[in-house]
Amino acid sequence: MNLNGKSVVVTGGNTGIGAAIVRALAASGAAVVIDYVSRPEDAADLVKTITASGGRAVGVEADVSSVAGIDKLIQTAVDEFGQLDAFVNNAGIEKRHSLLEVDEQTFDQVMAVDLKSAVFGTQRAAKRFIEQGRGGIVVNISSVHEDWPMPGNLSYCVAKGGMRMLTRAAGVELGPQGVRVVNVAPGAVDTPINAQTMKDDSLRQTLEDSIPLRKVAEPNQIGEVVAFVISDAGSYLTATTVFVDGGIMHGSVGL
Ligand SMILES: NC(=O)c1ccc[n+]([C@@H]2O[C@H](COP(=O)([O-])OP(=O)(O)OC[C@H]3O[C@@H](n4cnc5c(N)ncnc54)[C@H](O)[C@@H]3O)[C@@H](O)[C@H]2O)c1
């Protein structure tokens, strides 16, 4: 993939899928703004590795549940790399509860990190792209749960379902201005958000038995797809979702 000269923001870019996206983009030549809210050492390590191999990256602490945090990331991309070409809404949290259990505070928290951040990340990036006059792309990291109900994970499913419609509505609105908006929807990936399932051998086995490809994804298998979507090879994708799930949505068990 050739992303030479592109400047990209990745939210929650210091761990898990975000870090894999950062690595894939940098390996393709993009300059990357790595957002983090915790574990600054992970962001620093990524910056060190990327710059040591001749790439460009900078770590920035910003909470994307506030619009001010999003604006800070975009301003950094412009200050450090002169422009913004792509924005990846990757940051997310998961709080397990059913509809009957969920409380107002937890629901608001999940919505703020998983959905509000994507709405305003898309809006702020699009405004910048339009100002620059060269188009651009927003990639939203949703989930198979943008479409697939998961009992006991109500707020997360509602947020990812909202992201599904955000991408379709924004892609249709912004297409005429050369701005693409695409969801990349992972199935099960071995990252910190899934730590409980991943470290329980029996749960992991049940999960893998339900996946047609019979294994949980490695984060780089998502990162490579995001690099493709941002690149010219993905230039006709918009207002849609690319599922990267090993076939889990069509598997037989599901967790
Ligand atoms: N791991 C999976 O199986 C899986 C499957 C489908 C979708 N996803 C999605 O992938 C994305 C990345 O998750 P992950 O699996 O890499 O887990 P992760 O916990 O490693 O990544 C989430 C990142 O978001 C960051 N974050 C949380 N709140 C934030 C805030 N307010 N501002 C900025 N950053 C914040 C965290 O610090 C972390 O870096 C999430 O949106 C998640 O829903 C993950």
Side-chain angles (χ1 to χ4, degrees):
M1 239 36 75
N2 180 357
L3 298 177
N4 282 329
K6 301 232 184 264
S7 160
V8 188
V9 170
V10 181
T11 71
N14 60 327
T15 66
I17 292 171
I21 294 169
V22 166
R23 282 192 290 269
L25 298 180
S28 301
V32 191
V33 175
I34 305 167
D35 162 53
Y36 64 90
V37 282
S38 61
R39 303 185 59 83
E41 65 280 10
D42 290 351
D45 282 351
L46 271 173
V47 170
K48 203 168 150 192
T49 311
I50 291 166
T51 49
S53 55
R56 291 190 298 164
V58 60
V60 179
E61 183 174 5
D63 177 349
V64 295
S65 65
S66 84
V67 176
I70 292 163
D71 286 343
K72 181 179 175 186
L73 294 169
I74 293 176
Q75 195 56 51
T76 303
V78 173
D79 291 346
E80 294 282 329
F81 307 130
Q83 68 211 46
L84 179 75
D85 299 295
F87 193 97
V88 182
N89 285 305
N90 165 76
I93 55 172
E94 203 173 338
K95 304 273 178 195
R96 297 283 176 106
H97 46 247
S98 67
L99 172 66
L100 293 181
E101 291 161 353
V102 67
D103 61 79
E104 184 179 4
Q105 191 189 359
T106 310
F107 181 78
D108 284 349
Q109 188 190 3
V110 175
M111 287 301 127
V113 179
D114 292 11
L115 184 57
K116 179 188 166 195
S117 68
V119 170
F120 287 98
T122 303
Q123 184 207 58
R124 301 313 238 224
K127 282 178 186 274
R128 180 75 211 173
F129 297 150
I130 291 164
E131 207 179 301
Q132 291 173 170
R134 294 189 303 274
I137 171 155
V138 175
V139 179
N140 291 318
I141 307 302
S142 66
S143 161
V144 287
H145 298 301
E146 69 164 49
D147 202 34
W148 190 25
M150 181 178 184
N153 208 358
L154 187 274
S155 304
Y156 185 78
C157 289
V158 171
K160 296 300 186 182
M163 196 181 245
R164 176 184 173 86
M165 185 49 76
L166 163 67
T167 284
R168 281 145 182 81
V172 168
E173 178 180 332
L174 300 170
Q177 291 168 94
V179 178
R180 297 191 290 121
V181 189
V182 179
N183 276 11
V184 170
V189 190
D190 190 353
T191 71
I193 217 171
N194 274 331
Q196 289 305 107
T197 309
M198 293 306 141
K199 67 183 180 214
D200 180 324
D201 288 347
S202 133
L203 262 184
R204 185 172 176 134
Q205 191 58 55
T206 308
L207 175 59
E208 293 196 320
D209 287 347
S210 74
I211 302 171
L213 288 182
R214 290 289 184 267
K215 56 184 180 241
V216 163
E218 292 302 325
N220 70 299
Q221 293 178 293
I222 314 301
E224 298 292 343
V225 174
V226 173
F228 167 82
V229 168
I230 291 176
S231 76
D232 287 349
S235 62
Y236 205 56
L237 281 168
T238 200
T240 193
T241 298
V242 179
F243 287 96
V244 193
D245 70 344
I248 194 174
M249 283 182 81
H250 307 289
S252 53
V253 182
L255 277 183

